[in-house]
Amino acid sequence: MNDGPAAGGGHVAVRPRSAVAALVAAAALGLATGRFVLPPPPGGASQGASALPTPGTSVPTPESSAAGSGPASPTGATGPVTTANLLGPAAFGPDVDPGRIHVTDRFGDGAYANAACSGEKTLTQTLGGPGAHFRGLMTSTRTSPDDPTWTAAGIADQVAREVAAEARSPSLAQNAADRLLLEEVPCQEATPGHWVYGRTTTVRLAPDVTASWMGSYQGDLNTTGTAPEGKEPCGGIAVLRSGNHYAVLEVHACLGTAAMDRVVRTALSQL
């Protein structure tokens, strides 16, 4: 619901986002255009559905793809999602003081990625499923009367927002995560001067505990229509899956690569 990322990278500043409602037709476009066919909806999903690559997808490094070691290695979630599975304020320290972050929760439906390039859709419109857990993390106690997980004090006070739900099986959760990630693919290209998402980074803590995240880059860094190489992002978006749980995490705090990776890993291990 905002116009673009804030200036700077790796600081505590917060980036705005675009809120222009638009539909993104993720139609069958070939590899030549960098677009992909959406997997079938959950009702008709193949039990073997798996993630498709996206334009600019990075090859997972040993650090990002290796499963956790020792007894602390996570296992895929089972059962319903609860608020205990959602990210808490501590994950954002020291970049944002956890003591300043207020948490609001609700259950239901709603928009999960308010960017013009991906469309202001609700989770149900994209997946056709039931309600989900919504959590807002913000540095203001003033919340939107329409949705308490959004701040009413200005997007600069929105630290992050997470939407999480469970599927009937791990394969259906994987299908949902694939579809949610592909909804964001068009945001990896934008007119020069407009904010843009960077390449996809994969995090794998276990075979069925994975995440894909893209950093956000402000418009003045977008001179070619895609994210600049060698520059730090300013927050971003992640799609996570653990067993039969899946989630979308939008980070509005202006976090750089290392901080985004840390937050995504924390959210994934908790999901």
Side-chain angles (χ1 to χ4, degrees):
M1 294 187 182
N2 23 75
D3 299 325
H11 303 295
V12 182
V14 179
R15 63 172 178 83
R17 294 278 314 278
S18 173
V20 179
L23 288 186
V24 173
L29 299 179
L31 289 170
T33 62
R35 304 295 165 83
F36 299 88
V37 179
L38 282 175
S46 166
Q47 293 296 303
S50 59
L52 296 175
T54 58
T57 299
S58 62
V59 176
T61 63
E63 291 78 17
S64 66
S65 61
S69 59
S73 180
T75 56
T78 59
V81 169
T82 71
T83 55
N85 298 117
L86 303 178
L87 196 62
F92 295 91
D95 302 276
V96 183
D97 179 6
R100 296 177 55 229
I101 299 177
H102 302 275
V103 174
T104 57
D105 292 320
R106 72 175 179 85
F107 182 85
D109 191 23
Y112 62 91
N114 295 310
C117 55
S118 62
E120 195 171 355
K121 298 179 181 178
T122 70
L123 201 63
T124 297
Q125 286 172 331
T126 297
L127 299 178
H133 288 271
F134 286 71
R135 167 164 290 183
L137 300 104
M138 57 202 79
T139 56
S140 171
T141 57
R142 294 175 53 204
T143 60
S144 168
D146 298 322
D147 185 341
T149 63
W150 282 114
T151 178
I155 195 64
D157 292 311
Q158 189 83 34
V159 176
R161 188 166 178 265
E162 186 175 14
V163 182
E166 71 275 356
R168 292 190 303 273
S169 68
S171 60
L172 290 177
Q174 181 67 65
N175 179 271
D178 291 345
R179 292 174 63 81
L180 291 170
L181 180 62
L182 287 175
E183 283 286 311
E184 306 306 321
V185 168
C187 303
Q188 291 180 315
E189 299 176 0
T191 304
H194 190 280
W195 73 268
V196 66
Y197 283 146
R199 64 174 61 244
T200 306
T201 298
T202 300
V203 174
R204 189 182 306 277
L205 301 185
D208 60 347
V209 184
T210 63
S212 297
W213 68 270
M214 296 176 277
S216 183
Y217 293 82
Q218 61 195 31
D220 61 1
L221 294 177
N222 173 15
T223 60
T224 63
T226 57
E229 294 291 341
K231 298 291 185 180
E232 284 294 296
C234 183
I237 191 168
V239 177
L240 310 96
R241 201 272 291 194
S242 174
N244 72 322
H245 294 181
Y246 59 92
V248 177
L249 173 67
E250 292 184 274
V251 176
H252 296 269
C254 196
L255 304 186
T257 302
M260 276 294 296
D261 186 75
R262 185 191 71 243
V263 168
V264 170
R265 286 172 180 272
T266 300
L268 182 58
S269 64
Q270 195 160 337
L271 182 65

